[in-house]
Amino acid sequence: MKNLTRILLAEDDINLGQLLHTFLKSKGFEVSLAQNGKIAFEKFNQQEYDFCIFDIMMPEMDGFTLAKEVREIDKKVPILFLSAKSMKEDKLEGFSIGADDYLTKPFAMEELLARITAILRRSETESEESENGEVQVGKIKYEPEYRLLHLKEGEKKLTTKENQLLQLLVKNQNEILDRNATLRAIWGDDNYFNGRSMDVYIAKLRKALKEDPAIEIMNVHGKGFKLIVK
Amino acid sequence: MKNLTRILLAEDDINLGQLLHTFLKSKGFEVSLAQNGKIAFEKFNQQEYDFCIFDIMMPEMDGFTLAKEVREIDKKVPILFLSAKSMKEDKLEGFSIGADDYLTKPFAMEELLARITAILRRSETESEESENGEVQVGKIKYEPEYRLLHLKEGEKKLTTKENQLLQLLVKNQNEILDRNATLRAIWGDDNYFNGRSMDVYIAKLRKALKEDPAIEIMNVHGKGFKLIVK
DNA sequence: GAAGGCGGTTAACGTTTTTTAACACCGAAA
DNA sequence: TTTCGGTGTTAAAAAACGTTAACCGCCTTC
């Protein structure tokens, strides 16, 4: 059992960012610090996180937009917002996006910690917890962590992009994975060429998974792809 | 035998949405969570659901409007409303639309579960079947899940649109499938061109189903289409 | 520092799915 | 009974997707 909680912290203020970073690290969390929303979103798509802390006002991409993008590809990960002023409208917008909590600067470190642990405790007991590390896709064992597919003929190592795409497909099994949202999540931009690139990866994944005929990556014309296991 | 009950949950409050999602999943249901009525309606038209839970107050499209749209194309699927306050008028409106039950926030998880199972038990004995996953249309076996038609000459894979349309026709067997409601459900807009497009698909489905002469897709002038099996 | 491997993108070509056009016909209403 | 919107059907056009291979930049290795 892996007991490390990974936090993605998006904060443009260097001082506060460093402070939070060291504080949370001292409390046993693994923390990634991003200077703005754009970098944070890239980091988010690089690996799994158990918790997100987003400042609202940031250059490049603000916290709300960031949260929206994150929510498009992960409906579960807890998000806590940090705001400079206590704006009621902001608060509402935050929660409608799917924020789990909200803190107004300045705040006490201990209060932040209390809220994080409260939310984590709740979401852990809620979901019985993912048992992340390996997933079963039909007859094939898949370890997203190690980008590894266990096939009959041996292990197959996936590339970064193959892995990101398969992870999203698996996470949304039996549901349509929206084409444009996926492109923004993995490629950062949903233009035509990235779309074609994604199609190439779909083809690669189909080939990699063809060992089990019960697995199908189905296209839903104009919408996206859907991983189904019969 | 697949015994999975699929629930469509439309709830804009992420906290409550997640809570319900995980709770219901832990009780053995498959749950799709939609952030608002519009997304929920799209999901509803993407696949079969056995049960609907709609929050009333939502952005984009409220629960009542959603229920009305759903009822236009599916008169049977159970709908349960969630409401923030106990408004008597709402209650009435809800039931007039065809709600099966009604819960006022806050409510206990167990109560929700009890009501769901009660309604499902009732509607199952009513309709004798469901046994979802495959449907018999005349002599032809149809698997909406996999967009598959089992014909004498082999399997025929339906396209996304063919499948959506056939699903609606089957769901409303021997009833008139309203032209404009269908267009809104599948195409999102009931303009002239989409109407012509739909006519093309009707022609395709007629051709696909002509193997069994007992099956007929009949036009009801100015109203819509009706699938009849003699 | 040339050669090769690797991950990823772009190009090219083929196929499928969907929309639009075109023309014929039908049916309800004036 | 004429008229006009609604429908039936097929074909052509357009858009989306499937797949393979060439290509490109980067890193490693010798």
Side-chain angles (χ1 to χ4, degrees):
Chain A
M1 181 159 60
K2 193 180 52 179
N3 230 347
L4 200 56
T5 302
R6 280 160 305 187
I7 297 181
L8 176 58
L9 172 61
E11 171 60 68
D12 62 314
D13 179 341
I14 295 280
N15 289 316
L16 181 57
Q18 275 309 324
L19 190 65
L20 291 173
H21 188 235
T22 47
F23 171 73
L24 292 171
K25 244 171 89 177
S26 78
K27 295 298 177 184
F29 297 105
E30 187 180 310
V31 185
S32 286
L33 177 58
Q35 311 280 13
N36 63 53
K38 206 145 172 283
I39 295 172
F41 190 53
E42 279 164 20
K43 280 181 188 285
F44 183 84
N45 291 307
Q46 225 66 54
Q47 66 163 100
E48 286 266 347
Y49 286 98
D50 307 295
F51 201 94
C52 293
I53 302 175
F54 297 159
D55 189 11
I56 289 173
M57 283 188 300
M58 285 185 296
E60 291 290 334
M61 184 191 278
D62 69 279
F64 286 141
T65 312
L66 172 58
K68 258 179 216 154
E69 292 284 337
V70 165
R71 272 284 172 265
E72 287 227 57
I73 57 170
D74 190 329
K75 291 172 197 65
K76 283 191 275 192
V77 62
I79 300 176
L80 185 153
F81 282 112
L82 304 180
S83 162
K85 355 166 195 167
S86 77
M87 304 176 278
K88 281 188 182 177
E89 292 165 30
D90 272 23
K91 199 156 188 167
L92 287 176
E93 188 180 351
F95 280 108
S96 83
I97 287 167
D100 293 86
D101 210 337
Y102 197 94
L103 265 183
T104 302
K105 303 181 193 175
F107 50 84
M109 291 287 109
E110 288 304 330
E111 183 171 4
L112 175 64
L113 182 61
R115 303 228 187 166
I116 292 173
T117 48
I119 293 169
L120 280 177
R121 186 166 44 244
R122 193 183 67 202
S123 66
E124 261 168 34
T125 50
E126 256 178 30
S127 59
E128 191 63 31
E129 214 37 46
S130 35
E131 189 59 49
N132 219 327
E134 57 177 74
V135 195
Q136 199 68 28
V137 184
K139 290 191 180 70
I140 300 171
K141 189 166 84 175
Y142 169 43
E143 296 183 284
E145 222 40 56
Y146 303 118
R147 315 198 313 207
L148 226 52
L149 230 39
H150 295 263
L151 305 175
K152 277 177 194 163
E153 330 105 43
E155 299 181 339
K156 179 174 171 55
K157 199 152 175 49
L158 299 176
T159 72
T160 310
K161 286 250 164 13
E162 287 170 346
N163 194 52
Q164 289 181 284
L165 187 51
L166 184 53
Q167 245 179 296
L168 286 188
L169 283 167
V170 167
K171 211 183 287 186
N172 292 279
Q173 205 168 54
N174 295 322
E175 299 232 6
I176 297 173
L177 186 60
D178 184 80
R179 189 177 172 90
N180 288 330
T182 307
L183 284 170
R184 287 196 300 277
I186 300 182
W187 277 265
D189 183 6
D190 59 3
N191 66 36
Y192 171 79
F193 288 106
N194 288 336
R196 292 328 318 277
S197 201
M198 171 165 142
D199 289 332
V200 171
Y201 280 96
I202 289 288
K204 289 180 182 184
L205 287 180
R206 279 183 179 136
K207 197 181 284 182
L209 295 171
K210 74 173 181 299
E211 170 181 307
D212 184 350
I215 300 173
E216 188 187 349
I217 299 178
M218 175 188 276
N219 172 257
V220 181
H221 198 96
K223 292 264 187 272
F225 294 95
K226 188 161 136 185
L227 174 68
I228 51 182
V229 181
K230 299 182 188 180
Chain B
M1 176 166 61
K2 196 176 55 178
N3 228 350
L4 203 56
T5 301
R6 276 162 306 189
I7 297 181
L8 176 58
L9 171 62
E11 170 62 68
D12 62 314
D13 178 345
I14 286 286
N15 287 313
L16 181 58
Q18 274 309 318
L19 191 67
L20 291 173
H21 185 244
T22 46
F23 171 74
L24 292 171
K25 243 172 88 177
S26 77
K27 295 299 177 185
F29 297 105
E30 189 180 308
V31 185
S32 284
L33 176 57
Q35 313 277 16
N36 64 53
K38 207 147 170 281
I39 294 172
F41 191 52
E42 277 168 23
K43 278 181 189 285
F44 185 85
N45 292 307
Q46 221 68 55
Q47 65 164 96
E48 284 269 344
Y49 287 98
D50 307 296
F51 200 94
C52 294
I53 303 175
F54 296 159
D55 189 11
I56 290 174
M57 283 189 299
M58 286 186 295
E60 291 289 335
M61 185 191 277
D62 69 280
F64 286 141
T65 312
L66 172 59
K68 260 178 215 154
E69 290 283 341
V70 164
R71 272 283 170 265
E72 286 227 58
I73 57 173
D74 190 328
K75 287 166 200 66
K76 281 191 280 191
V77 62
I79 300 177
L80 186 154
F81 282 111
L82 303 180
S83 162
K85 355 165 195 168
S86 76
M87 305 177 277
K88 282 188 181 175
E89 291 165 30
D90 272 23
K91 200 157 188 167
L92 287 176
E93 188 180 350
F95 281 110
S96 82
I97 286 167
D100 293 86
D101 210 336
Y102 197 94
L103 266 183
T104 301
K105 302 181 193 175
F107 51 84
M109 292 285 109
E110 290 304 330
E111 182 172 3
L112 175 65
L113 181 62
R115 303 226 188 167
I116 292 173
T117 48
I119 293 169
L120 280 177
R121 189 165 43 243
R122 194 180 66 203
S123 68
E124 259 170 37
T125 50
E126 253 178 32
S127 59
E128 191 62 35
E129 28 102 34
S130 152
E131 189 58 50
N132 222 325
E134 54 177 75
V135 194
Q136 201 68 29
V137 185
K139 291 191 180 70
I140 301 171
K141 188 167 85 174
Y142 170 43
E143 295 182 285
E145 211 47 39
Y146 308 127
R147 315 198 309 204
L148 229 52
L149 228 41
H150 295 264
L151 305 175
K152 278 175 193 164
E153 331 105 42
E155 299 181 339
K156 180 176 170 55
K157 214 163 168 32
L158 298 177
T159 73
T160 308
K161 287 245 160 23
E162 287 169 348
N163 194 52
Q164 288 181 282
L165 187 51
L166 183 53
Q167 244 178 296
L168 287 189
L169 283 167
V170 168
K171 210 185 289 184
N172 292 279
Q173 208 165 15
N174 298 320
E175 303 223 5
I176 296 176
L177 186 60
D178 183 78
R179 189 177 172 90
N180 288 329
T182 307
L183 285 169
R184 285 196 302 277
I186 300 182
W187 277 266
D189 183 7
D190 59 3
N191 66 36
Y192 171 78
F193 288 107
N194 288 337
R196 290 329 320 275
S197 203
M198 171 164 142
D199 290 331
V200 171
Y201 279 97
I202 290 289
K204 288 181 182 185
L205 288 179
R206 280 181 179 137
K207 199 180 285 182
L209 296 171
K210 72 175 182 300
E211 171 182 306
D212 183 351
I215 300 173
E216 187 188 349
I217 299 178
M218 169 190 280
N219 172 256
V220 182
H221 198 93
K223 295 264 187 269
F225 294 96
K226 189 160 131 184
L227 174 69
I228 48 184
V229 181
K230 299 170 193 172

